[in-house]
Amino acid sequence: MNISSKFLSIIALGVMASVAFYSCKPKGAEAAISGDAASKVYVAPGKYDEFYDFVSGGFNGQIGVYGIPSGRLLRIIPVFSTHPESGWGYSEETRPMLNTSHGQVPWDDLHHIALSTTNGEHDGRWVFANGNNTPRIARIDMKTFRTAEIIEIPNSAGNHSSPFITENTEYTIAGTRFSVPIQGNLDVPINTYKQNFKGTVSFIKVDSSSGNMSIAFQILTPGINFDLSRAGKGKSHDWFFFSCYNSEKANTLLEVNASAKDKDFIMAVNWKKAEAYAKAGKGKMVAAEYAHNVYNEKTHSGTSTIEKQVLLLDPKDCPDMIYFIPCPKSPHGTDVDPTGEYIVGSGKLAALIPVFSFTKILQAIANKTYDGSFDGFPVLKYEAVLHGEVQKPGLGPLHTEFDNNGYAYTSMFVSSEIVKWNIKDVKVVDRVPTYYSIGHLSVMGGPTAKPYGKYMIAYNKITKDRYLPTGPELAQSAQLYDISGDKMKMILDFPTVGEPHYAEAIPAAKISKNSVKIYKIEENAHPFVAKGEGQTKVERKGNQVHVYMTAIRSHLTPDNIEGVKVGDEIYFHVTNLEQDWDVPHGFAIKNANNAEILIMPGETQTLKYTADKAGIVPFYCTDFCSALHQEMQGYLRVSPPGSNVALTFSTGTNLPAATDSAKGSSSASKPK
Ligand code: K7E
Ligand code: CUA
C-alpha cells in the first residue's frame, strides 16, 4: 500500500523493537491531578455509588465489582476460580461449575466483560466473561452476582476474542486465539502449520428469557490468530468484526515472524447470513466434546453435562459471508462506534489508527473493490473502505471506547496515555498520561449504542511507584478520569484485585432494584434440604453419612453427632433457615481438606468431609451472625473403624448422665 504509511510502520516497528514493547514512563504524575478531584470521587458514608463497575481479574479468574466514582470494592465474584470465602468450587453444589471435557479445571484467565444489551443499551440482566486458557464463556446473573452458567468451547484453542455480544444479546461469541488442527488428524508436525492449522469463530445463542447459552454454530476460518472483536450496531447490526494477527501463519518466534507483514486484517462476518446458512442446513454436525454447566437457583446446585456434537459451517459452502479488511499492523482492539458506522482498528505496532466506514465497506462489497484475496476470501481495498487515519496518536494503540459526544478514546500501552480524538475528522483533541502501561480503558457505557460518558477508567498493567510497596509484586490499578469537559482530568487511583483487562460499568439504578435478598425457603428444592429443625436427620448409606443440618441464629441442628467411623465420607448439607437479608451462616469443620461453605438465607450447601482419625471434631459457624455467633458450634465424634457406636444426633438434649456426670459416660453404652 502507500509508501508513506509503510514507512511510518517501519519507523514504528523500529521504536517497538528498541523499547521491546515496554512502556515509557510519563513525567509529572502529581501535576496531573486536578484540584477539585476529591469532591468528585467522594461518596459520603451511607451514600451509594452512581455506577457498578464489573472489572475482569485476569489471571485470578474472578470479577471484581467496584463502585464508581469512589473506586470502593463491593464484591469479588468467583467465575473460573475457586473462592474459599464462599466455598465456590469447594462445595458439592458448585464443583460441577468448573467441570470441563478435561475434568475439573479450577482456574482460567478471565479477560473480557460483556454486559447484556437490548437495542444496544444495557438491560441489567447478565455479565458475560471469557476463559482465555481452557476455552469457556461464563454468564453471571446480575440479580445474584453469581456465576449462573459456564459453557466450554470445542474446536478452539484459547478464547481471547470473546465474549462480545450482538446488540440484543442474540449471540455471545468466541474467536480462537490459537489456530490448531481441528477435526481429522490432530497429531501433525508443528511446522505444517500452513497446511494443517485452522481457526474457528463460535456463535453462542443466548436464550432471551432464561439467558441459557448453547452453541448455535461455529465457522471454520483460515489458520490465523483472532485477537478481539465487536458486533456491529444500528446499520451494521448484522455484522461482527474480528481483529486478526499472524496472517503470516508463523508457528514459531511470533514476536518477529507474525510482525513481518505491513498489514494484518479485520475479518468481517455477516452473522445474519451465517445464521441463515445454518438454518438452511449448510453446516455439518461434527463430533465434539464440551461441558455445559448450569447452576439451578431452586435446587441450589450446579449440573455439568458433556455435549457431544456441534454445527460447523465451512465458508466454502457459504458464499458472501466473510470479507477481510487490511489493517496495519497486528491489530489488537477492533471497536465499533455508537452509531455502528465507524470501525476502529488498533494496530499495536502501527503509527496511526485506521477508522473504517461501514457504508464504504458495503459499497466495496457491492462493487467488488477488492485487493486480491486471502485464503480464498475477498480482501477489500484499504483505501476504498477507509474513513480516515488518526495521525500520530501515540505508541502502541490497544483499545478504543466512545462517549456520547462523537469522541473516541484510545489507550496507548507503550506511551502510557489515553488519546481523545474526534471520530468525524479523526483529529486528536486531547491526551492524558496513565500510570503506567495502560491496557484496556472503559468509558461509562462506552461499547453501547448510548454511552453515558461522564467518567472514563484506565486499567493499568504496571503501577511502579503509585502505591506502598508490597514485595516483588505491586498492586495493579485503575485510574478514574472526569471526561465531562473538553479536557480529560484524572481524579482517582484505585488498586484492583488481579490484573484488570476489560471492564464495563452500568448505572447502579439498572441493577440495584433487582438484587436478590433471600432465597425463599419454601421454594428450596435441594434434594438434601431440611426446611425446619424437625426435618434434620443423619442417614448412613454404606460409608457415606448424610447430615441434614440447619442453621439459624445461633445454633446448628444437630450439634452433637456420634456413630461416625474413620473412613466415612460425611456430607454436611446445611440449610440456612433465615429469611432476612444479609444473614448468611458459614460452616467449617476441623481438619477438612476443603474450604468453608457460606450459606445464604433459604439456601442449602454441602461440605464433604472425610473422617481420617478417631476423636472429637468440632465444627462451627464462620460468619459472625449474632452476639452468640461464637456459641454457634458443635461436635462430631469419630470412632475407630469397626466400632459399634450407634448413629445418634441431637441439639440440646444430649446431656450428661445425671448419676455419672463426673466420669463422662460414653454414649456407646447408652441404651437405645
Ligand atoms: Cu488488550 Cu486480553 Cu483485551 Cu488485556 S487484552 S489489555
Ligand atoms: Cu451463624 Cu455465626
Side-chain angles (χ1 to χ4, degrees):
M1 121 73 266
N2 76 65
I3 294 155
S4 64
S5 88
K6 186 164 189 173
F7 181 62
L8 279 173
S9 301
I10 291 164
I11 292 174
L13 185 60
V15 171
M16 299 301 142
S18 63
V19 300
F21 211 51
Y22 296 127
S23 71
C24 330
K25 183 174 158 177
K27 297 264 154 20
E30 294 73 27
I33 297 148
S34 63
D36 56 349
S39 66
K40 286 185 172 151
V41 301
Y42 184 67
V43 177
K47 294 280 187 266
Y48 292 151
D49 277 292
E50 190 180 346
F51 292 91
Y52 286 101
D53 191 23
F54 291 86
V55 182
S56 64
F59 45 70
N60 77 5
Q62 304 169 331
I63 292 174
V65 186
Y66 299 80
I68 300 297
S70 71
R72 297 182 294 196
L73 175 63
L74 303 175
R75 179 129 295 266
I76 295 282
I77 305 173
V79 184
F80 305 110
S81 61
T82 54
H83 195 44
E85 177 181 323
S86 62
W88 181 264
Y90 295 96
S91 71
E92 294 306 297
E93 288 79 1
T94 56
R95 290 170 56 81
M97 298 303 288
L98 297 170
N99 190 40
T100 72
S101 62
H102 304 273
Q104 200 76 355
V105 180
W107 171 88
D108 218 306
D109 186 13
L110 189 161
H111 280 220
H112 303 122
I113 302 288
L115 304 189
S116 60
T117 55
T118 302
N119 298 321
E121 294 183 53
H122 285 153
D123 57 24
R125 301 207 285 171
W126 309 302
V127 182
F128 296 90
N130 69 318
N132 195 19
N133 186 48
T134 302
R136 285 176 278 184
I137 291 181
R139 180 174 57 86
I140 292 93
D141 191 332
M142 285 199 220
K143 289 204 291 289
T144 57
F145 284 64
R146 280 186 177 179
T147 302
E149 188 178 9
I150 292 179
I151 192 163
E152 192 181 354
I153 313 295
N155 296 323
S156 173
N159 183 33
H160 193 259
S161 182
S162 179
F164 304 99
I165 53 168
T166 53
E167 258 184 308
N168 297 302
T169 322
E170 294 99 333
Y171 293 97
T172 177
I173 59 93
T176 189
R177 172 180 175 187
F178 300 95
S179 279
V180 288
I182 63 165
Q183 303 290 316
N185 184 17
L186 307 181
D187 177 21
V188 300
I190 296 169
N191 64 11
T192 63
Y193 188 109
K194 290 191 170 74
Q195 302 90 282
N196 290 323
F197 287 38
K198 288 282 183 195
T200 55
V201 293
S202 306
F203 285 73
I204 294 103
K205 186 87 200 137
V206 179
D207 184 273
S208 58
S209 57
S210 68
N212 279 345
M213 300 185 284
S214 55
I215 301 178
F217 54 86
Q218 301 190 297
I219 302 173
L220 199 63
T221 71
I224 50 181
N225 296 22
F226 293 102
D227 203 345
L228 285 153
S229 55
R230 281 291 185 192
K233 299 186 185 86
K235 61 176 85 169
S236 55
H237 173 80
D238 296 357
W239 293 76
F240 228 109
F241 303 94
F242 296 84
S243 59
C244 329
Y245 62 106
N246 196 20
S247 53
E248 295 85 352
K249 297 188 182 170
N251 62 281
T252 184
L253 197 63
L254 264 66
E255 179 183 18
V256 174
N257 296 332
S259 309
K261 284 195 194 163
D262 186 37
K263 291 211 171 57
D264 288 277
F265 298 111
I266 289 173
M267 180 176 84
V269 177
N270 186 324
W271 63 261
K272 272 282 180 189
K273 269 200 178 148
E275 193 179 53
Y277 284 131
K279 281 212 179 86
K282 296 287 182 192
K284 222 177 31 191
M285 270 298 178
V286 298
E289 210 186 1
Y290 59 102
H292 183 199
N293 312 331
V294 181
Y295 199 81
N296 181 320
E297 291 289 336
K298 293 280 179 273
T299 60
H300 302 290
S301 302
T303 48
S304 179
T305 310
I306 300 291
E307 304 284 351
K308 293 289 189 188
Q309 55 179 12
V310 69
L311 185 66
L312 192 61
L313 290 181
D314 189 333
K316 282 206 293 292
D317 309 322
C318 308
D320 309 324
M321 182 173 73
I322 294 179
Y323 298 87
F324 282 82
I325 302 166
C327 186
K329 252 205 90 138
S330 303
H332 190 56
T334 171
D335 295 289
V336 180
D337 88 312
T339 67
E341 168 64 9
Y342 301 109
I343 297 115
V344 181
S346 302
K348 299 191 292 278
L349 305 179
L352 50 79
I353 302 172
V355 183
F356 301 100
S357 151
F358 181 70
T359 308
K360 290 183 176 180
I361 289 171
L362 287 188
Q363 276 165 7
I365 291 171
N367 302 332
K368 299 197 176 350
T369 316
Y370 298 155
D371 188 1
S373 67
F374 177 73
D375 263 36
F377 295 96
V379 174
L380 304 179
K381 201 167 171 44
Y382 180 75
E383 291 81 357
V385 296
L386 190 70
H387 161 64
E389 293 173 334
V390 182
Q391 298 295 335
K392 296 198 180 134
L395 295 175
L398 290 185
H399 299 282
T400 301
E401 290 253 308
F402 307 92
D403 69 11
N404 43 339
N405 295 315
Y407 292 100
Y409 302 77
T410 303
S411 58
M412 301 286 169
F413 175 80
V414 177
S415 53
S416 276
E417 59 185 334
I418 295 172
V419 172
K420 176 180 178 182
W421 49 278
N422 185 311
I423 302 172
K424 281 271 151 60
D425 66 13
V426 295
K427 293 268 189 309
V428 172
V429 296
D430 192 23
R431 55 179 72 233
V432 286
T434 64
Y435 305 93
Y436 307 93
S437 306
I438 180 175
H440 275 272
L441 78 174
S442 144
V443 171
M444 305 296 107
T448 72
K450 290 234 177 74
Y452 319 113
K454 193 161 181 177
Y455 302 114
M456 172 180 71
I457 306 174
Y459 295 95
N460 301 315
K461 304 300 184 190
I462 296 170
T463 50
K464 297 272 193 218
D465 51 8
R466 299 296 285 184
Y467 297 100
L468 286 172
T470 51
E473 199 202 2
L474 302 175
Q476 274 111 6
S477 90
Q479 290 184 298
L480 184 69
Y481 296 81
D482 175 355
I483 56 164
S484 57
D486 289 344
K487 295 283 175 198
M488 299 176 276
K489 285 186 194 148
M490 184 195 297
I491 51 177
L492 183 71
D493 264 14
F494 61 99
T496 60
V497 179
E499 183 196 4
H501 287 264
Y502 191 46
E504 227 185 304
I506 179 170
K510 289 206 179 197
I511 51 179
S512 57
K513 59 180 184 293
N514 299 324
S515 211
V516 164
K517 294 189 169 69
I518 60 159
Y519 298 100
K520 291 199 180 107
I521 188 80
E522 63 270 20
E523 290 175 6
N524 183 323
H526 193 290
F528 293 95
V529 66
K531 293 192 181 181
E533 291 180 2
Q535 294 181 14
T536 59
K537 59 185 172 185
V538 179
E539 281 180 353
R540 173 180 285 285
K541 284 189 178 132
N543 74 332
Q544 288 189 353
V545 177
H546 292 275
V547 181
Y548 296 65
M549 183 179 276
T550 58
I552 193 161
R553 284 164 286 180
S554 297
H555 56 276
L556 296 160
T557 307
D559 69 0
N560 278 209
I561 303 168
E562 304 193 358
V564 162
K565 287 174 272 193
V566 169
D568 282 346
E569 287 178 352
I570 303 145
Y571 293 85
F572 291 96
H573 308 286
V574 186
T575 301
N576 180 347
L577 296 177
E578 308 281 353
Q579 293 286 273
D580 272 352
W581 192 18
D582 200 22
V583 190
H585 292 287
F587 179 83
I589 180 160
K590 184 171 174 277
N591 308 331
N593 47 14
N594 205 325
E596 67 160 358
I597 47 175
L598 195 61
I599 313 114
M600 298 304 127
E603 190 185 38
T604 305
Q605 290 286 290
T606 302
L607 190 75
K608 182 184 170 187
Y609 172 73
T610 306
D612 66 334
K613 283 178 187 152
I616 301 296
V617 191
F619 52 81
Y620 70 103
C621 169
T622 48
D623 189 304
F624 206 109
C625 50
S626 74
L628 295 172
H629 151 81
Q630 200 72 350
E631 282 72 13
M632 202 164 171
Q633 62 177 49
Y635 301 95
L636 174 75
R637 175 180 172 191
V638 179
S639 302
S643 124
N644 63 351
V645 176
L647 198 60
T648 59
F649 57 91
S650 60
T651 292
T653 56
N654 187 24
L655 301 173
T659 53
D660 199 14
S661 60
K663 283 169 72 183
S665 76
S666 160
S667 65
S669 56
K670 209 190 279 176
K672 302 260 54 195

